[in-house]
Amino acid sequence: MTDISANLVLGDKKVDLPVKSGSIGPDVIDIGALYKNTGTFTYDPGFTSTASCESKITYIDGDNGILLHRGYPIEQLAEHGDFLETCYLLLYGELPSAAQKKDFDHRVTMHTMVHEQMSRFFTGFRRDAHPMAVMCGCVGALSAFYHDSTDITDPHQRMVASLRMIAKMPTLAAMAYKYHIGQPFVYPQNDLDYASNFLRMCFAVPCEEYKVNPVLSRAMDRIFILHADHEQNASTSTVRLAGSSGANPFACIAAGIACLWGPAHGGANEAALNMLTEIGTVDRIPEYIARAKDKNDPFRLMGFGHRVYKNYDPRAKIMQKTTHEVLGELGHKDDPLLQVAMELERIALTDEYFIEKKLYPNIDFYSGITLKAMGFPTTMFTVLFALARTVGWIAQWAEMIEDPQQRIGRPRQLYTGEPQRDYVPVSKR
Ligand code: CMC
């Protein structure tokens, strides 16, 4: 709490609203007692000025392009750490010691297999089902298999559920992919690291030996780190809202996956690659830039713009570097999509429309090209985002459950429909 308060005058009523400060970032006006004292609500569709919770996990300074997890810059985590270390950090608040890291890796790894009956769930889906549809169903179904970790009042069960989801998401994601392409499921191999294990489950086949390429597994791991958490975005807020009613964690994460799927959120990586493919060649870029600027055309440059970042998305910078590493390793340096992406970025960064609106490339702009080069079909891109974001959703969900002030989330509304009126029998309508 700060010494200052915000004074609101509403007709003949005057209220003092306390102002709270975080450790960094904008202060917030606490309007919790506003309705009680004035009978009015605040109105902020899209939450552009509303902090929905207090959190210690992730901090974003969108104007300066800064992203911190528990205080650590994303650039340092991506450069020096690995994904499971980031998971530990997000869940426990500190970087692990070597012994804690070893123990945590082991605790996650021993949960990588899924109940054998889960495989029958997959066969209930059409082969051409979008893998995100499959993920929504299968992750939600985990609550039907792991009854011993759905009691949210028990901290031990909460942690077991968390580890289970971090461990099983790669297995489920790989199964969704294998089912989609008609290949047999590949069981996890626990002597591999997290990212290598995932690549093997996706790309190995029983008839051949599969050797993990260390450049690709490092890139995969870094992509997971970059997507691990992003404070109160749409899917995380969905998970928190679902969890606020006391729903079990598997159901909450399934809700987050559903929200992530949309093209304005996690689906943007798929949409960005589809857009680059549609543009096809550098000479067609001006046509698409013109469309993006045309108010009467719904087309947007996918992979550009962000609600919070009004500067270069720091994740996009690391992603761009990773793209070059992967394409270099695979001999795809001349990929026409990369040429289109780089030229599009160059033009957009110098175009008045994009400069004025502060539209910079976001993480999804380059991730699609990288994932495509690694062998993933576009429909898997958002699944990989969901896999990596699971730890963020879980950390945010756990923080909410542990908050003594936690109550069910229940926004109010500005009602503009019909006032009360009397029922008219059908014969008189
Ligand atoms: N291309 C062209 N114009 C754009 C774009 C774009 N990609 N994004 C925003 N604008 C314009 C928009 O038309 C509006 O113009 P005006 O003020 O004249 O009406 C202005 O910029 C502000 O846009 P907004 O829609 O009010 O901004 P928002 O904060 O509600 O939306 C966004 C943010 C990410 C949904 C939006 O920028 C967008 O649709 N981008 C493309 C989709 C995308 O790449 N999404 C991935 C986000 S990063 C990954 C994630 O967090 O999931």
Side-chain angles (χ1 to χ4, degrees):
M1 202 77 76
T2 60
D3 297 338
I4 51 166
S5 61
N7 310 120
L8 180 73
V9 180
L10 260 173
D12 56 357
K13 288 196 188 107
K14 185 170 172 295
V15 272
D16 287 343
L17 300 166
V19 175
K20 290 181 169 175
S21 284
S23 42
I24 36 175
D27 290 345
V28 299
I29 303 169
D30 182 349
I31 54 142
L34 187 69
Y35 178 62
K36 199 171 94 199
N37 294 335
T38 68
T40 52
F41 298 138
T42 55
Y43 181 63
D44 183 19
F47 300 103
T48 47
S49 298
T50 298
S52 62
C53 63
E54 188 182 316
S55 181
K56 294 183 166 54
I57 302 174
T58 292
Y59 173 75
I60 302 174
D61 175 346
D63 292 332
N64 293 307
I66 292 170
L67 168 61
L68 310 176
H69 292 317
R70 303 284 191 182
Y72 295 102
I74 188 67
E75 294 83 355
Q76 294 180 22
L77 294 171
E79 182 71 28
H80 305 297
D82 69 27
F83 178 65
L84 283 184
E85 187 180 50
T86 303
C87 291
Y88 186 100
L89 177 68
L90 290 170
L91 289 174
Y92 293 100
E94 295 297 336
L95 286 169
S97 67
Q100 286 166 331
K101 169 84 168 69
K102 195 168 167 230
D103 174 63
F104 182 72
D105 287 6
H106 172 71
R107 283 192 290 140
V108 171
T109 307
M110 69 186 204
H111 285 295
T112 51
M113 287 216 315
V114 293
H115 194 292
E116 192 59 19
Q117 224 172 318
M118 280 295 299
S119 59
R120 301 211 201 119
F121 257 82
F122 284 85
T123 53
F125 287 97
R126 285 170 53 138
R127 290 267 177 198
D128 61 357
H130 195 290
M132 279 299 275
V134 176
M135 292 303 283
C136 289
C138 289
V139 174
L142 289 176
S143 48
F145 285 92
Y146 300 102
H147 300 273
D148 58 345
S149 55
T150 52
D151 177 0
I152 64 159
T153 62
D154 177 350
H156 175 69
Q157 290 202 27
R158 289 204 296 271
M159 187 46 77
V160 173
S162 303
L163 298 179
R164 276 186 168 142
M165 273 183 282
I166 295 168
K168 293 183 199 306
M169 280 297 278
T171 313
L172 292 174
M175 289 169 85
Y177 172 58
K178 286 298 200 190
Y179 184 71
H180 192 51
I181 58 170
Q183 288 185 1
F185 298 139
V186 175
Y187 286 106
Q189 189 177 304
N190 284 350
D191 58 351
L192 293 175
D193 64 72
Y194 191 87
S196 302
N197 205 356
F198 175 62
L199 289 175
R200 185 180 161 277
M201 285 191 286
C202 287
F203 298 121
V205 285
C207 47
E208 272 174 29
E209 198 195 333
Y210 179 79
K211 272 215 159 70
V212 182
N213 178 327
V215 176
L216 301 192
S217 95
R218 178 69 190 123
M220 189 81 264
D221 195 74
R222 194 171 295 145
I223 290 171
F224 291 159
I225 295 174
L226 296 181
H227 288 87
D229 191 46
H230 216 223
E231 52 115 313
Q232 311 311 320
N233 55 82
S235 57
T236 302
S237 299
T238 301
V239 170
R240 279 188 178 254
L241 199 52
S244 76
S245 72
N248 78 68
F250 302 106
C252 296
I253 300 305
I257 294 174
C259 177
L260 185 76
W261 193 358
H265 192 7
N269 50 16
E270 182 176 345
L273 193 87
N274 290 340
M275 177 194 76
L276 292 174
T277 311
E278 190 186 315
I279 297 176
T281 48
V282 168
D283 59 303
R284 296 189 62 203
I285 292 176
E287 181 195 325
Y288 284 84
I289 295 271
R291 284 187 61 193
K293 294 198 273 189
D294 182 354
K295 278 236 164 276
N296 300 315
D297 189 330
F299 175 78
R300 284 186 167 199
L301 277 193
M302 300 313 285
F304 272 80
H306 198 276
R307 170 61 62 79
V308 182
Y309 292 120
K310 302 302 170 197
N311 201 323
Y312 212 111
D313 178 343
R315 304 167 303 169
K317 279 195 191 141
I318 309 166
M319 196 64 238
Q320 189 199 48
K321 191 168 157 242
T322 305
T323 304
H324 285 286
E325 281 167 18
V326 168
L327 268 59
E329 172 69 14
L330 297 173
H332 294 190
K333 270 273 179 223
D334 298 327
D335 184 336
L337 290 187
L338 182 63
Q339 308 304 325
V340 173
M342 283 169 31
E343 183 59 10
L344 191 62
E345 178 183 353
R346 193 192 63 74
I347 294 176
L349 289 178
T350 49
D351 187 292
E352 204 38 55
Y353 174 93
F354 292 87
I355 294 170
E356 194 222 315
K357 294 189 188 304
K358 300 188 174 165
L359 298 171
Y360 291 85
N362 59 50
I363 187 169
D364 292 323
F365 188 61
Y366 279 105
S367 62
I369 307 172
T370 321
L371 295 173
K372 177 175 175 275
M374 289 168 86
F376 291 102
T378 46
T379 49
M380 278 298 288
F381 294 177
T382 315
V383 174
L384 301 190
F385 192 158
L387 184 172
R389 182 55 58 84
T390 295
V391 63
W393 289 330
I394 289 171
Q396 301 271 351
W397 168 82
E399 182 179 65
M400 180 193 67
I401 299 289
E402 283 156 27
D403 180 350
Q405 293 185 345
Q406 188 267 326
R407 302 165 73 190
I408 187 168
R410 176 56 168 93
R412 302 306 300 259
Q413 63 173 6
L414 174 66
Y415 178 71
T416 52
E418 293 290 344
Q420 183 170 335
R421 50 182 171 166
D422 288 327
Y423 178 83
V424 181
V426 70
S427 57
K428 300 224 168 103
R429 278 177 232 159

mmCIF file of all heavy atoms in Angstrom, residues 317-330 332-333 338 342 345 366 370:
data_model
loop_
_atom_site.group_PDB
_atom_site.id
_atom_site.type_symbol
_atom_site.label_atom_id
_atom_site.label_comp_id
_atom_site.label_asym_id
_atom_site.label_seq_id
_atom_site.Cartn_x
_atom_site.Cartn_y
_atom_site.Cartn_z
ATOM 1 N N LYS A 317 13.275 -11.806 -30.412
ATOM 2 C CA LYS A 317 14.703 -11.630 -30.754
ATOM 3 C C LYS A 317 15.454 -12.948 -30.586
ATOM 4 O O LYS A 317 16.257 -13.337 -31.425
ATOM 5 C CB LYS A 317 15.326 -10.591 -29.813
ATOM 6 C CG LYS A 317 15.036 -9.180 -30.239
ATOM 7 C CD LYS A 317 15.957 -8.210 -29.501
ATOM 8 C CE LYS A 317 15.472 -6.796 -29.745
ATOM 9 N NZ LYS A 317 15.546 -5.936 -28.607
ATOM 10 N N ILE A 318 15.184 -13.644 -29.476
ATOM 11 C CA ILE A 318 15.871 -14.922 -29.222
ATOM 12 C C ILE A 318 15.396 -15.955 -30.244
ATOM 13 O O ILE A 318 16.171 -16.760 -30.764
ATOM 14 C CB ILE A 318 15.587 -15.420 -27.787
ATOM 15 C CG1 ILE A 318 15.878 -14.317 -26.765
ATOM 16 C CG2 ILE A 318 16.396 -16.681 -27.471
ATOM 17 C CD1 ILE A 318 15.322 -14.585 -25.380
ATOM 18 N N MET A 319 14.096 -15.889 -30.544
ATOM 19 C CA MET A 319 13.513 -16.834 -31.501
ATOM 20 C C MET A 319 14.147 -16.651 -32.880
ATOM 21 O O MET A 319 14.457 -17.627 -33.562
ATOM 22 C CB MET A 319 12.003 -16.561 -31.574
ATOM 23 C CG MET A 319 11.184 -17.632 -32.206
ATOM 24 S SD MET A 319 11.219 -19.160 -31.296
ATOM 25 C CE MET A 319 11.848 -20.197 -32.580
ATOM 26 N N GLN A 320 14.383 -15.391 -33.250
ATOM 27 C CA GLN A 320 14.983 -15.119 -34.564
ATOM 28 C C GLN A 320 16.367 -15.778 -34.656
ATOM 29 O O GLN A 320 16.722 -16.393 -35.653
ATOM 30 C CB GLN A 320 15.079 -13.611 -34.772
ATOM 31 C CG GLN A 320 15.471 -13.222 -36.171
ATOM 32 C CD GLN A 320 15.988 -11.801 -36.219
ATOM 33 O OE1 GLN A 320 16.825 -11.421 -35.399
ATOM 34 N NE2 GLN A 320 15.494 -11.014 -37.152
ATOM 35 N N LYS A 321 17.130 -15.671 -33.550
ATOM 36 C CA LYS A 321 18.475 -16.264 -33.512
ATOM 37 C C LYS A 321 18.365 -17.792 -33.624
ATOM 38 O O LYS A 321 19.103 -18.436 -34.382
ATOM 39 C CB LYS A 321 19.138 -15.862 -32.177
ATOM 40 C CG LYS A 321 20.591 -16.156 -32.091
ATOM 41 C CD LYS A 321 21.213 -15.465 -30.864
ATOM 42 C CE LYS A 321 22.470 -16.194 -30.470
ATOM 43 N NZ LYS A 321 22.423 -16.784 -29.131
ATOM 44 N N THR A 322 17.407 -18.345 -32.890
ATOM 45 C CA THR A 322 17.203 -19.797 -32.920
ATOM 46 C C THR A 322 16.811 -20.251 -34.329
ATOM 47 O O THR A 322 17.257 -21.299 -34.804
ATOM 48 C CB THR A 322 16.106 -20.189 -31.899
ATOM 49 O OG1 THR A 322 16.502 -19.685 -30.633
ATOM 50 C CG2 THR A 322 15.901 -21.687 -31.808
ATOM 51 N N THR A 323 15.985 -19.445 -34.989
ATOM 52 C CA THR A 323 15.570 -19.780 -36.367
ATOM 53 C C THR A 323 16.799 -19.919 -37.265
ATOM 54 O O THR A 323 16.935 -20.896 -38.015
ATOM 55 C CB THR A 323 14.650 -18.664 -36.939
ATOM 56 O OG1 THR A 323 13.566 -18.502 -36.057
ATOM 57 C CG2 THR A 323 14.135 -19.008 -38.321
ATOM 58 N N HIS A 324 17.700 -18.959 -37.158
ATOM 59 C CA HIS A 324 18.900 -19.003 -38.001
ATOM 60 C C HIS A 324 19.755 -20.225 -37.663
ATOM 61 O O HIS A 324 20.304 -20.874 -38.554
ATOM 62 C CB HIS A 324 19.693 -17.706 -37.860
ATOM 63 C CG HIS A 324 19.042 -16.565 -38.596
ATOM 64 N ND1 HIS A 324 19.071 -16.442 -39.966
ATOM 65 C CD2 HIS A 324 18.305 -15.520 -38.158
ATOM 66 C CE1 HIS A 324 18.392 -15.371 -40.346
ATOM 67 N NE2 HIS A 324 17.912 -14.786 -39.264
ATOM 68 N N GLU A 325 19.864 -20.551 -36.370
ATOM 69 C CA GLU A 325 20.658 -21.727 -35.968
ATOM 70 C C GLU A 325 20.067 -23.005 -36.564
ATOM 71 O O GLU A 325 20.776 -23.846 -37.116
ATOM 72 C CB GLU A 325 20.688 -21.850 -34.438
ATOM 73 C CG GLU A 325 21.675 -20.901 -33.775
ATOM 74 C CD GLU A 325 21.463 -20.803 -32.261
ATOM 75 O OE1 GLU A 325 20.810 -21.693 -31.671
ATOM 76 O OE2 GLU A 325 21.946 -19.830 -31.684
ATOM 77 N N VAL A 326 18.753 -23.144 -36.436
ATOM 78 C CA VAL A 326 18.100 -24.371 -36.905
ATOM 79 C C VAL A 326 18.173 -24.472 -38.431
ATOM 80 O O VAL A 326 18.529 -25.517 -38.974
ATOM 81 C CB VAL A 326 16.620 -24.416 -36.424
ATOM 82 C CG1 VAL A 326 15.834 -25.507 -37.124
ATOM 83 C CG2 VAL A 326 16.576 -24.623 -34.912
ATOM 84 N N LEU A 327 17.861 -23.379 -39.103
ATOM 85 C CA LEU A 327 17.884 -23.427 -40.562
ATOM 86 C C LEU A 327 19.308 -23.644 -41.083
ATOM 87 O O LEU A 327 19.506 -24.343 -42.088
ATOM 88 C CB LEU A 327 17.257 -22.162 -41.157
ATOM 89 C CG LEU A 327 15.757 -22.284 -41.437
ATOM 90 C CD1 LEU A 327 14.943 -22.612 -40.225
ATOM 91 C CD2 LEU A 327 15.208 -21.057 -42.121
ATOM 92 N N GLY A 328 20.289 -23.082 -40.372
ATOM 93 C CA GLY A 328 21.682 -23.308 -40.742
ATOM 94 C C GLY A 328 22.043 -24.774 -40.587
ATOM 95 O O GLY A 328 22.640 -25.393 -41.483
ATOM 96 N N GLU A 329 21.655 -25.354 -39.455
ATOM 97 C CA GLU A 329 21.966 -26.757 -39.176
ATOM 98 C C GLU A 329 21.343 -27.684 -40.215
ATOM 99 O O GLU A 329 21.936 -28.677 -40.631
ATOM 100 C CB GLU A 329 21.452 -27.108 -37.762
ATOM 101 C CG GLU A 329 21.517 -28.571 -37.372
ATOM 102 C CD GLU A 329 22.945 -29.078 -37.185
ATOM 103 O OE1 GLU A 329 23.864 -28.230 -37.092
ATOM 104 O OE2 GLU A 329 23.133 -30.315 -37.145
ATOM 105 N N LEU A 330 20.125 -27.341 -40.641
ATOM 106 C CA LEU A 330 19.409 -28.225 -41.557
ATOM 107 C C LEU A 330 19.655 -27.881 -43.022
ATOM 108 O O LEU A 330 19.056 -28.489 -43.919
ATOM 109 C CB LEU A 330 17.900 -28.167 -41.260
ATOM 110 C CG LEU A 330 17.499 -28.664 -39.860
ATOM 111 C CD1 LEU A 330 16.027 -28.412 -39.599
ATOM 112 C CD2 LEU A 330 17.816 -30.159 -39.693
ATOM 113 N N HIS A 332 18.788 -25.117 -44.561
ATOM 114 C CA HIS A 332 17.620 -24.429 -45.155
ATOM 115 C C HIS A 332 17.795 -22.917 -45.171
ATOM 116 O O HIS A 332 16.819 -22.192 -45.165
ATOM 117 C CB HIS A 332 16.342 -24.723 -44.344
ATOM 118 C CG HIS A 332 15.891 -26.130 -44.383
ATOM 119 N ND1 HIS A 332 14.661 -26.534 -43.881
ATOM 120 C CD2 HIS A 332 16.486 -27.249 -44.844
ATOM 121 C CE1 HIS A 332 14.539 -27.842 -44.030
ATOM 122 N NE2 HIS A 332 15.632 -28.300 -44.600
ATOM 123 N N LYS A 333 19.013 -22.460 -45.152
ATOM 124 C CA LYS A 333 19.264 -21.009 -45.037
ATOM 125 C C LYS A 333 18.548 -20.210 -46.114
ATOM 126 O O LYS A 333 18.183 -19.052 -45.914
ATOM 127 C CB LYS A 333 20.772 -20.735 -45.122
ATOM 128 C CG LYS A 333 21.442 -20.747 -43.767
ATOM 129 C CD LYS A 333 21.378 -19.370 -43.120
ATOM 130 C CE LYS A 333 22.015 -19.354 -41.732
ATOM 131 N NZ LYS A 333 21.267 -18.629 -40.757
ATOM 132 N N LEU A 338 11.795 -17.868 -45.055
ATOM 133 C CA LEU A 338 12.675 -17.051 -44.212
ATOM 134 C C LEU A 338 12.966 -15.724 -44.914
ATOM 135 O O LEU A 338 12.964 -14.664 -44.279
ATOM 136 C CB LEU A 338 13.977 -17.803 -43.908
ATOM 137 C CG LEU A 338 14.952 -17.078 -42.994
ATOM 138 C CD1 LEU A 338 14.350 -16.860 -41.604
ATOM 139 C CD2 LEU A 338 16.266 -17.838 -42.861
ATOM 140 N N MET A 342 12.033 -12.147 -43.284
ATOM 141 C CA MET A 342 13.030 -11.118 -42.973
ATOM 142 C C MET A 342 12.703 -9.802 -43.700
ATOM 143 O O MET A 342 12.819 -8.726 -43.131
ATOM 144 C CB MET A 342 14.434 -11.605 -43.326
ATOM 145 C CG MET A 342 14.923 -12.566 -42.252
ATOM 146 S SD MET A 342 16.420 -13.492 -42.604
ATOM 147 C CE MET A 342 17.383 -12.512 -43.613
ATOM 148 N N GLU A 345 9.601 -8.207 -42.060
ATOM 149 C CA GLU A 345 9.995 -7.566 -40.798
ATOM 150 C C GLU A 345 10.676 -6.225 -41.093
ATOM 151 O O GLU A 345 10.367 -5.211 -40.472
ATOM 152 C CB GLU A 345 10.931 -8.487 -40.022
ATOM 153 C CG GLU A 345 11.420 -7.866 -38.737
ATOM 154 C CD GLU A 345 12.412 -8.734 -37.986
ATOM 155 O OE1 GLU A 345 12.650 -9.884 -38.374
ATOM 156 O OE2 GLU A 345 12.952 -8.240 -36.988
ATOM 157 N N TYR A 366 8.571 -15.772 -35.798
ATOM 158 C CA TYR A 366 9.666 -16.653 -36.248
ATOM 159 C C TYR A 366 9.512 -18.110 -35.810
ATOM 160 O O TYR A 366 10.151 -18.989 -36.364
ATOM 161 C CB TYR A 366 11.016 -16.116 -35.753
ATOM 162 C CG TYR A 366 11.548 -15.009 -36.630
ATOM 163 C CD1 TYR A 366 11.506 -13.690 -36.226
ATOM 164 C CD2 TYR A 366 12.057 -15.294 -37.894
ATOM 165 C CE1 TYR A 366 11.974 -12.671 -37.049
ATOM 166 C CE2 TYR A 366 12.528 -14.285 -38.728
ATOM 167 C CZ TYR A 366 12.486 -12.980 -38.301
ATOM 168 O OH TYR A 366 12.940 -11.991 -39.121
ATOM 169 N N THR A 370 10.761 -21.965 -37.778
ATOM 170 C CA THR A 370 11.684 -22.893 -37.102
ATOM 171 C C THR A 370 11.037 -24.261 -36.932
ATOM 172 O O THR A 370 11.653 -25.299 -37.237
ATOM 173 C CB THR A 370 12.047 -22.335 -35.703
ATOM 174 O OG1 THR A 370 12.195 -20.935 -35.798
ATOM 175 C CG2 THR A 370 13.291 -22.971 -35.152
#
